[in-house]
């Protein structure tokens, strides 16, 4: 099938393109990006008034399969991704069993090929069983299609193990994704430690719990020469260390989440467990620092940390609830509405943070509209206004603190390898 996407504002930061153009797609590939391509027998997509981008990439999602299909599975999670404008997701290995060997990684890829609707790239574990004592066979994980390693969901406590992991990962040019949390400081904490934790009567998780481990990872990355990527960076101190390390030539990158960019710890006063997430929603000074990091290039990409949970582990006392936010279906709209429409982030920068930004972190051949590339395309409607209603989510996880918010600027069409998966915001 041939598709002609006509008359949209094409933004492709990797190729420095921003203008009204047409895109021709055939056999799942990008054939041409140009002004006024003639339409001979093509299926036309009228993109007038829309923003046409390389397919968005979310390098940090929890698809929960295998093992936790009651929270999410690859079918529902990839539909949520597509509806949210993502054409590629990387799935974290804290499943059951965890993705710590080739056969589990291959299982995930086969399930994705069968039941998924977007590209799924698995992330393998750093340690066997995510138990933090013995390294996985990284060469085997790479051969099975893993694009990075991580024990996300928990930190790698042992610094020597992390050093070894980096030494190995360096040999394969494999990024090591670190969930930074010093658990002796974070233990039993429910929310960010500060004014509001005192006011609301919750045990706090100090910024230092994250920052201690960010500093360790930077020091180990410098020691080993490996590429360390800081997951869900959420504090001013983390951003300052990452900025300085980058300037010193350390191979460190980081992601931030939409919820940490747009929400503060004040909203935990609703006592709604959908605001409970790890790392926790921070105070205004931290949110401001993350936003500065977006603008000055300290932040490499936006990732959701999509963490769907079952209602039973959220519709309960705050202290007992699970940590996590179902983020795939609100990420783009929340960033459009909360940052781009407010003049706090250029739309080109936003597109960069969702496309070539994460592609470069992972070293994958995605995130551009290069001729010959897979025709993964995300089209945004900057005028669409919708209220966030988790009842309409494709994700099984309805846990979102954005519920009830009216947002302007939504993903409109998602095309994966030349096939229209989402049209008008709905799976076709
Ligand atoms: O909030 C979170 N949820 N943070 C994590 O690190 C793990 C994730 C999950 O898997 O639910
Ligand atoms: Zn994490
Ligand atoms: Zn995560």
């Amino acid at each position: 099938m041939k598709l002609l996407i006509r008359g949209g504002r094409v933004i492709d930061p990797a190729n420095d393109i921003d203008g009204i153009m047409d895109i021709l797609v055939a056999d799942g590939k990008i054939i041409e990006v140009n002004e006024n391509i003639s339409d001979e027998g093509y299926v036309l997509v009228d993109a007038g008034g829309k923003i046409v981008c390389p397919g968005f990439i979310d390098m940090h999602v929890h698809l929960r399969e295998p093992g936790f299909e009651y929270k999410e599975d690859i079918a529902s999670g990839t539909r949520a991704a597509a509806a949210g404008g993502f054409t590629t997701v990387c799935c974290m290995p804290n499943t059951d069993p965890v993705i710590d060997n080739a056969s589990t990684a291959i299982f995930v890829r086969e399930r994705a090929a069968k039941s998924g609707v977007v590209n799924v790239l698995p992330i393998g574990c750093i340690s066997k069983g995510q138990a933090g004592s013995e390294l996985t066979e990284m060469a085997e994980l790479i051969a099975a299609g893993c694009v990075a390693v991580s024990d996300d969901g928990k930190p790698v406590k042992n610094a020597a193990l992390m050093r070894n992991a980096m030494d190995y990962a360096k040999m394969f040019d494999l990024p090591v994704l670190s969930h930074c949390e010093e658990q002796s400081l974070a233990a039993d904490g429910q929310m960010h430690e500060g004014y509001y934790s005192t006011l609301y009567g919750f045990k706090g998780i100090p910024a230092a719990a994250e920052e201690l481990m960010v500093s360790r990872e930077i020091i180990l990355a410098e020691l080993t020469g490996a590429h360390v990527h800081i997951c869900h960076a959420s504090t001013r101190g983390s951003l300052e260390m990452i900025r300085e390390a980058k300037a010193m030539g350390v191979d460190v990158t980081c992601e931030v989440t939409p919820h940490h960019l747009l929400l503060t710890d004040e909203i935990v006063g609703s006592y709604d467990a959908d605001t409970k997430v790890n790392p926790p929603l921070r105070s205004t000074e931290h949110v401001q620092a993350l936003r500065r990091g977006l603008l000055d290039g300290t932040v490499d990409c936006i990732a959701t940390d999509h963490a769907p949970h079952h209602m039973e582990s959220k519709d309960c006392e705050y202290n007992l609830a699970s940590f996590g936010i179902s983020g795939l279906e609100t990420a783009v709209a929340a960033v459009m509405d909360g940052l781009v429409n407010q003049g706090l982030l250029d739309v080109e920068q936003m597109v960069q943070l969702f496309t070539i930004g994460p592609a470069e972190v992972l070293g994958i051949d995605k995130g551009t509209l290069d001729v010959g590339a897979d025709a993964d395309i995300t089209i945004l409607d900057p005028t669409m206004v919708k209220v966030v209603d988790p009842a309409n989510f494709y994700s099984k996880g309805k846990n979102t603190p954005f519920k009830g918010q009216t947002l302007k600027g939504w993903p409109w069409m998602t095309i994966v390898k030349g096939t229209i998966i989402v049209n008008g915001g709905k799976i076709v």
Side-chain angles (χ1 to χ4, degrees):
M1 189 176 69
K2 289 187 174 179
L3 272 182
L4 182 61
I5 302 164
R6 201 149 68 168
R9 175 179 172 193
V10 176
I11 300 180
D12 178 8
N15 287 309
D16 232 346
I17 292 174
D18 182 357
I20 305 295
M21 274 186 232
D22 303 341
I23 299 179
L24 182 61
V25 169
D27 303 322
K29 304 281 182 194
I30 309 253
I31 302 297
E32 191 181 353
V33 181
N34 219 327
E35 287 166 17
N36 301 315
I37 301 175
S38 70
D39 59 329
E40 302 153 36
Y42 306 136
V43 176
L44 279 185
V45 173
D46 177 6
K50 308 289 195 292
I51 299 171
V52 183
C53 319
F56 284 11
I57 300 163
D58 186 348
M59 66 168 289
H60 188 152
V61 308
H62 297 269
L63 292 180
R64 306 299 195 203
E65 186 177 355
F68 302 107
E69 290 84 353
Y70 63 99
K71 299 184 188 189
E72 191 82 288
D73 57 27
I74 289 169
S76 63
T78 58
R79 277 165 182 76
F86 296 99
T87 57
T88 298
V89 296
C90 301
C91 58
M92 283 295 180
N94 61 339
T95 46
D96 184 16
V98 296
I99 309 174
D100 65 356
N101 60 66
S103 64
T104 322
I106 290 166
F107 168 83
V108 167
R109 284 177 55 220
E110 283 177 356
R111 290 292 295 165
K114 234 182 241 156
S115 68
V117 297
V118 303
N119 307 301
V120 174
L121 305 174
I123 295 164
C125 295
I126 291 172
S127 67
K128 286 186 183 158
Q130 291 197 322
S133 49
E134 208 185 326
L135 288 185
T136 52
E137 298 289 347
M138 289 183 200
E140 177 187 314
L141 290 169
I142 294 167
C146 291
V147 294
V149 284
S150 183
D151 273 359
D152 183 57
K154 42 184 166 179
V156 173
K157 282 190 214 166
N158 186 306
L161 187 83
M162 185 50 112
R163 178 195 183 172
N164 284 340
M166 288 191 196
D167 274 331
Y168 273 95
K170 161 103 182 120
M171 291 196 286
F172 307 111
D173 264 336
L174 193 69
V176 177
L177 320 185
S178 178
H179 168 116
C180 291
E181 177 183 3
E182 171 49 52
Q183 286 177 323
S184 61
L185 285 176
D188 304 322
Q190 303 296 321
M191 63 176 292
H192 175 62
E193 178 180 298
Y195 172 81
Y196 287 107
S197 62
T198 310
L199 187 67
Y200 303 151
F202 283 125
K203 179 151 190 312
I205 301 171
E210 172 174 316
E211 291 160 359
L212 274 176
M213 202 166 280
V214 170
S215 72
R216 183 194 80 176
E217 307 307 42
I218 288 170
I219 290 164
L220 291 177
E222 190 178 16
L223 176 67
T224 59
H227 172 192
V228 70
H229 174 83
I230 307 298
C231 294
H232 40 58
S234 73
T235 80
R236 189 183 65 173
S238 295
L239 270 278
E240 283 171 358
M241 286 186 276
I242 293 163
R243 182 179 292 116
E244 198 176 319
K246 282 185 168 192
M248 285 164 53
V250 179
D251 197 357
V252 56
T253 54
C254 73
E255 69 195 28
V256 296
T257 72
H259 49 270
H260 291 116
L261 286 166
L262 294 161
L263 304 171
T264 67
D265 56 346
E266 186 180 357
I267 67 163
V268 176
S270 63
Y271 295 92
D272 173 359
D274 289 347
T275 64
K276 183 171 173 180
V277 65
N278 188 19
L281 301 177
R282 303 288 187 184
S283 58
T284 308
E285 68 158 316
H286 297 291
V287 173
Q288 298 298 351
L290 300 187
R291 292 177 179 188
R292 280 196 300 278
L294 285 185
L295 299 179
D296 74 5
T298 304
V299 173
D300 295 272
C301 61
I302 299 176
T304 63
D305 196 8
H306 176 72
H309 284 290
H310 192 264
M311 218 177 58
E312 268 167 25
S313 58
K314 282 295 194 179
D315 196 11
C316 60
E317 219 181 288
Y318 204 92
N319 282 301
L320 301 175
S322 299
F323 288 95
I325 288 173
S326 180
L328 279 168
E329 286 166 87
T330 53
V332 172
V335 171
M336 283 281 277
D337 185 88
L339 297 178
V340 176
N341 296 349
Q342 312 304 319
L344 297 169
L345 182 69
D346 291 340
V347 68
E348 299 87 341
Q349 272 181 307
M350 180 193 82
V351 175
Q352 190 253 331
L353 290 158
F354 277 121
T355 57
I356 191 65
E360 281 181 347
V361 168
L362 295 163
I364 57 171
D365 198 11
K366 291 274 178 200
T368 77
L369 295 172
D370 288 352
V371 169
D374 285 342
D376 292 347
I377 298 171
T378 295
I379 307 182
L380 311 174
D381 181 350
T383 66
M384 190 190 288
V385 177
K386 257 192 332 195
V387 179
V388 175
D389 181 359
N392 297 330
F393 278 5
Y394 291 94
S395 172
K396 295 183 191 180
K398 312 300 179 189
N399 44 304
T400 173
F402 291 105
K403 60 183 172 282
Q405 285 198 22
T406 302
L407 303 177
K408 182 176 178 187
W410 287 82
W412 177 73
M413 183 175 279
T414 308
I415 299 170
V416 179
K417 293 186 176 145
T419 301
I420 297 175
I421 305 295
V422 169
N423 191 354
K426 301 227 159 24
I427 305 274
V428 294

